[in-house]
Every structure is written in structure tokens, then in C-alpha cells.
Amino acid sequence: MRALGFQVVEADTPDAVAARLTAAPAGDRVAVVDRRFRGHRHALRLALTDPRFDTAAVPGALTARPAARQALVRALAALPAGRSGGPSAYGGGSSAGGASAADTATGTHTAARTATATTAQNAAVPLPAPRSGPADDVLPDALAAALAATGEPPYRPELGVLVAEVATDRAAAEAAGTAIAAVDEESVRLRSAVKARDGFFTTHCISPYSRYLARWCARRGLTPNQVTTASLLVALIAAGCAATGTRAGYVAAGVLLLASFVLDCTDGQLARYSLQYSTLGAWLDATFDRAKEYAYYAGLALGAARGGDDVWALALGAMVLQTCRHVVDFSFNEANHDATANTSPTAALSDKLDSVGWTVWVRRMIVLPIGERWALIAVLTAVSTPRVTLVVLLVGCTLAAGYTTAGRVLRSLTRRARRTDRAARALDDLADSGPLAEVLSAVLRPLARRMPPFAAPAVAVLAAAGVTATAALAPHGSWYPVVAAALYVVTSAFAVALPLKGALDWLVPPMFRAGEYGTVLALAAVSGVNGALPAAFGLVSAVAYHHYDTVYRIRGGAGAPPRAVVRTAGGHEGRTLIVALAAAVAAHRTGFTVTLTVLALAIALLVLVESIRFWVTSGAAAAVHDESGEPA
């Protein structure tokens, strides 16, 4: 216990246990561990130190974070006399049958110095066990059962071959010792540091050695957030090398991009190895991944420009496509993860294919996850040109997007599911509707009620395609894109007039992303204005950050950004209309570039300040870590 950072306090009766729990400061984590516990240290580490769960348990040990402290005290008080918590079930605390209470504190804490418990950051209480009696009289196990009976079962980590048990006699203790010695605990801990579901390149080319780098970092006291930041810095240096436009710079950029990816894998493995999960860490990991990739695209565009080749449109197209792919993933999962009666023959077929070894890796590679994508970009950067790199990337991502989106559409059409109000709220938040759509949706709601179930996604698809195509095909300075953007405002409001609970309503947010980003790209590309495409790249980057920030707030259970921020940012429909107006008014003039730049800076300042404030002050939120295995 002390090796895990706990300060042990003995408690020889259930009443003493209750007193220890009550006396511990309200902000402390507490744990209850039977003195006869026998097992691997990592089994206790998994049960007692993982910050993601309010309560967790393994045989003979139970922990509760501050949010669950009162529930634990109530469970202890509710145990019937004579069973586990009853006074008659416990003796005077022999070394074999007693238990102890422990707190994690900076100083040493013993049974004789209970007053120091008030300075603890966390508290763990190994408790008294019966001198004799059945194994189900172990107090931590009884408390875990009592918590489960209230509808809040403790999290039970997957132990695999790790040992965690309560030895009721000498023979059991000796058998447990033999079982413990037969397992290489460190090897198990290293294997468990690797993400269970990942891409082929990451699993077979990076993780076999990056986990040892994660252990090296852990032993030197480095945190996952520090490794995440190092990964970002290396990627930014790689982007700078690509921006030089020289062959040596491109080779260095490719090597450094792979090095950044190794560190990107390492930070998650370090978090799993040392159980250093945090809300801030999950946000940094997710947003820095996007910042690294999109900064690298910009570096390629700058490097190509030095050689006389303008590939800003390709770089922006790659960013738009990749962001829309992610929104498809996010929207689909949010729409279905808590749906009831959630069955689909297409999903069953997918699960069946996953049971065949080689198909698993083929299907994971087809979606071009971050490992395969970054390896492709790194190699092509080193051996070819930025134009070739971005064209191949666009083709690959288009095929991957078609494959994943088609599969999700088929699942949705064949799925029998009732989607919840929470899912509808999440999709509405992901839609990022501004004040214009907010007002018009109320007006259009009666009409929307008379429409068929697939009206919302169909209108969203047509609206996005219409405004983007008009922006791309209209002459320079034409007002047709403004008319199309105005219609886009109306149709976008119609699409969100009703709660998004339909089978394909999850398509609405990604269609809005495609409509807004695609319009900005098209107008900048056809404007012929110097600097318009780099400015558009900056604008889409700022808006995409806002959209990713919304996603990870929802994933962390914090909900979307404040409505005031969303309204001030204009919503996707408002920004689309503003850019269309700017393109018409400032045609063939630098005013269009200036407008895009000012809009980008304003949105970046607005969303960054609020986002950083939220995530830095979100320490009280539940720690999270992305283990979904989705391609990133």
C-alpha cells in the first residue's frame, strides 16, 4: 500500500473503520483492504489508483473517490450485524485477520498517529477480517456487493493472469504466493500499457518498443502531458522542416513526423502504465493530434510555394476531408452509444468478420487510421513532392471516408434502435447552429413535423452540396453564392427544427461541416485573391478547433461549450453567409483575404480563451482516456 503512495492506518473493528472513513478529509480518496489480501501490486494499483472511476474493487480491496465517499459510508452502515460489518464477526485484530485504514499523504501515517489523516490527499483503509468464517465475510467484498445492490457497482479491472485474493488460511496463502511468483508482473503491466485496439502500423511497428519508452518515462517521473507536449513540439519542427522546400528538409520532416508519432503512442501508453489519466490529458492528446497534422499540411504548402507550386487548396482539402471523417465517427457514435434495442444485422456481420484474424487488420488499414496515415505522409514527404503527398492522401482519405460512411449508413438503415434525448442533445450540440438557425428553426418546426423521417439528413446533404457547388462554379465576385448561403441558412434551420432522433440524423452535423468548410475552400480557391487560400486555411483551422473542442467536452460528460460562445461565433450557417458576402463584396481585392484573416483571428481568440479556461479548470471532472479504438 505504501509503495502505491498510501499511508496505512490500522482499524481493528468495523466501527473503527467507519470512524476512519468519517474522519478522513472530504477531498480524499479512501480504500478498504483486507489484511489477508494476497496478490500482485499491479492488481492493487489497477483497483485503487485509477482516477477514472468513482469506485473500484478487486477481491479483498475496494476504493472510493470523494464523490462516492458517502455511498461507501452508507453501505458500511447498512451491513447487517454479524455479517462482514457486524461487531461479532470481527476479532481483536490479529496480524492474519485484521485490517487497516490507509491514506495517501506526504508523511508517514501509522495506527498510533491517526490525527495525521486530516492532511491526506487520498485515504485507503485495509480493514479487519474475521478470525474465522467464510470468504464472503470479507468486508471490502461485502461493501462492494452492497454498492452494487444500490445500482452503482464498483468498476472491476480486468486482471488477466494477475492474482488478487483473500487467503483464509496458511495453505491458501502459500498457494497464492506460488501463483504470484509464477507471473511476470512487469511483463503484464507493459502489455496492458498498449491500447487493446489499434491500427496495424501502430500495433506491429510502433508499440513493440514505444511501451519500453513509456516505462522509461514513468521511471523518471515524466507525465503523459509532458510527453504529449514533446510530441507536438517535434511535429511542429517537422512542419518547419517541410516548409524549407528542400529535399533535406523533406527527409528530415518525414523522420521527425514518425518520431512525433512514436511519442504520440508513448503518452497514452505512459498513462495506462502509470494510471495517470486526466481530463486535461485527454483533451491535450486529442487536440494536439489535430494541431500536429494540420500544421504539417501547412508546412507542406509553404515548402511547395518555395518551389513555385501552389498546393494550399490541396492542403485545405485534406484538412476539410479529415475533419469531416472525424465528425462522421463522432456523430454516429454519439447517436448510438446509449440507444436501446440497439441491434443490427450489419453490425453482427462486422463482428463476425472481426473474429477472422486477417480481416481485422485489413479492415483497420482500409480506414487509414492515424498510424497508417502518418506513415504514408512521412514516406511520401521524404521521397516525393508535397503535391504528390497531398494528392495521394486525399485519394486515400476519400476511399476511407466512403468505406466508413457507407458502413455506418447500412448499420443505421438495418438497425432497430430507440435513440435517447441525450443523444439528440449531443447531435444538436455537434451541429453548431448559430442564432440565425436558432430563430428560424422555431418558425419551421410545424413544417418539419409534417415531413417524412429522413427529411432532416436529406435536406442537410442537399444544402451542403448546393452551397459548396455554387461557391465552386459561380464566377468571381458573383452574388449567386450569397443566395445559396442564404438558402443554406434556411435549410440548416429546417434540419435541426426537430430533435435529431432519426436513423440517419447523425449525418446532419458532418454535412454541416462539409457545407461550411467546403464553401470557404471553394470561394478562396476561385477568388484569385493573393493569400486567400492561406487565410481560409487559418479560418477553417480555428473553426475546426471549436468543433473538436465540442466533441471532447461531450465525450468527457461536460456538455457543449456555452451557448453564448456558439452564438458569438455565428454558428456554421452564419459564418458561411459572412464568407459568401465577403467574397461577393471584395471580389478580386485583398479585402477578401483581410476578412478571412480577421474572422479567423476573432474566432480563434474567442474559442481558445474559453476552451483553455474550461479544460485547465476541469480538475473536478471525471478523468477520461480515449480507449475507443476509433481511427483518429
Side-chain angles (χ1 to χ4, degrees), residues 226-409:
Q226 290 171 333
V227 178
T228 301
T229 303
S231 176
L232 173 65
L233 293 176
V234 173
L236 293 178
I237 295 172
C241 291
T244 63
T246 64
R247 177 53 51 195
Y250 290 147
V251 172
V255 172
L256 288 171
L257 187 64
L258 288 177
S260 174
F261 183 64
V262 171
L263 292 174
D264 184 52
C265 295
T266 301
D267 63 2
Q269 292 165 357
L270 174 58
R272 286 180 286 271
Y273 183 86
S274 57
L275 300 182
Q276 296 184 72
Y277 304 114
S278 71
T279 305
L280 177 62
W283 171 70
L284 287 176
D285 184 50
T287 54
F288 280 10
D289 278 351
R290 306 287 77 79
K292 289 181 285 189
E293 189 166 4
Y294 299 159
Y296 194 84
Y297 295 167
L300 288 174
L302 290 170
R306 287 180 176 272
D309 190 11
D310 186 356
V311 298
W312 275 107
L314 294 176
L316 180 52
M319 180 167 67
V320 169
L321 180 57
Q322 192 57 32
T323 304
C324 290
R325 281 187 64 197
H326 285 147
V327 179
V328 167
D329 293 337
F330 299 145
S331 295
F332 178 80
N333 290 328
E334 288 301 325
N336 292 286
H337 89 279
D338 59 352
T340 57
N342 199 0
T343 59
S344 166
T346 308
L349 175 61
S350 178
D351 293 339
K352 186 175 181 180
L353 288 174
D354 277 345
S355 66
V356 182
W358 65 271
T359 65
V360 175
W361 296 116
V362 171
R363 295 172 73 222
R364 291 186 190 178
M365 293 172 70
I366 288 175
V367 301
L368 207 63
I370 188 170
E372 277 75 359
R373 192 167 68 250
W374 282 28
L376 175 69
I377 295 170
V379 171
L380 288 177
T381 299
V383 301
S384 66
T385 65
R387 178 173 290 275
V388 170
T389 301
L390 291 170
V391 168
V392 172
L393 178 64
L394 280 167
V395 172
C397 286
T398 299
L399 294 175
Y403 171 78
T404 55
T405 305
R408 283 165 167 73
V409 169

Side-chain angles (χ1 to χ4, degrees), residues 23-329:
D28 293 353
R29 172 199 288 267
V30 297
V32 179
V33 181
D34 192 287
R35 234 189 233 143
R36 300 168 302 171
F37 176 86
R38 296 293 184 272
H40 290 99
R41 178 182 298 176
H42 192 52
L44 274 181
R45 180 183 289 109
L46 291 171
L48 303 185
T49 66
D50 194 323
R52 295 173 296 171
F53 309 101
D54 284 341
T55 58
V58 293
L62 170 72
T63 187
R65 295 179 70 235
R69 285 272 301 277
Q70 291 302 314
L72 180 59
V73 172
R74 288 194 298 269
L76 181 60
L79 291 177
R83 184 185 185 277
S84 297
S88 63
Y90 295 88
S94 67
S95 60
S100 58
D103 325 274
T104 52
T106 55
T108 303
H109 187 57
T110 66
R113 297 174 60 196
T114 56
T116 60
T118 58
T119 64
Q121 296 299 316
N122 298 304
V125 181
L127 294 178
R131 291 185 178 184
S132 62
D136 64 359
D137 278 337
V138 175
L139 183 56
D141 296 351
L143 289 172
L147 288 171
T150 65
E152 299 179 355
Y155 167 72
R156 292 188 178 273
E158 292 287 340
L159 297 181
V161 297
L162 295 176
V163 176
E165 60 184 69
V166 175
T168 56
D169 53 38
R170 184 178 298 276
E174 292 176 353
T178 301
I180 293 169
V183 175
D184 184 348
E185 179 179 7
E186 182 60 21
S187 177
V188 172
R189 189 179 177 189
L190 274 174
R191 287 198 305 271
S192 64
V194 177
K195 198 173 185 178
R197 177 182 170 87
D198 223 328
F200 180 88
F201 179 76
T202 304
T203 300
H204 295 285
C205 301
I206 303 297
S207 293
Y209 59 87
S210 62
R211 56 186 174 183
Y212 293 101
L213 178 58
R215 182 174 66 179
W216 182 89
C217 293
R219 291 178 175 178
R220 282 152 184 81
L222 298 177
T223 67
N225 290 352
Q226 290 171 333
V227 178
T228 301
T229 303
S231 176
L232 173 65
L233 293 176
V234 173
L236 293 178
I237 295 172
C241 291
T244 63
T246 64
R247 177 53 51 195
Y250 290 147
V251 172
V255 172
L256 288 171
L257 187 64
L258 288 177
S260 174
F261 183 64
V262 171
L263 292 174
D264 184 52
C265 295
T266 301
D267 63 2
Q269 292 165 357
L270 174 58
R272 286 180 286 271
Y273 183 86
S274 57
L275 300 182
Q276 296 184 72
Y277 304 114
S278 71
T279 305
L280 177 62
W283 171 70
L284 287 176
D285 184 50
T287 54
F288 280 10
D289 278 351
R290 306 287 77 79
K292 289 181 285 189
E293 189 166 4
Y294 299 159
Y296 194 84
Y297 295 167
L300 288 174
L302 290 170
R306 287 180 176 272
D309 190 11
D310 186 356
V311 298
W312 275 107
L314 294 176
L316 180 52
M319 180 167 67
V320 169
L321 180 57
Q322 192 57 32
T323 304
C324 290
R325 281 187 64 197
H326 285 147
V327 179
V328 167
D329 293 337

Side-chain angles (χ1 to χ4, degrees), residues 442-526:
V443 177
L444 296 171
R445 192 164 294 126
L447 175 63
R449 291 195 178 100
R450 295 196 293 269
M451 294 294 107
F454 295 135
V459 167
V461 171
L462 292 174
V467 70
T468 304
T470 303
L473 300 176
H476 303 328
S478 170
W479 284 84
Y480 286 120
V482 179
V483 176
L487 290 174
Y488 177 73
V489 171
V490 177
T491 51
S492 298
F494 174 85
V496 296
L498 297 178
L500 298 175
K501 291 186 176 182
L504 293 176
D505 283 359
W506 57 268
L507 282 170
V508 171
M511 288 303 102
F512 288 168
R513 297 297 82 76
E516 179 184 2
Y517 298 165
T519 300
V520 174
L521 168 59
L523 290 174
V526 303

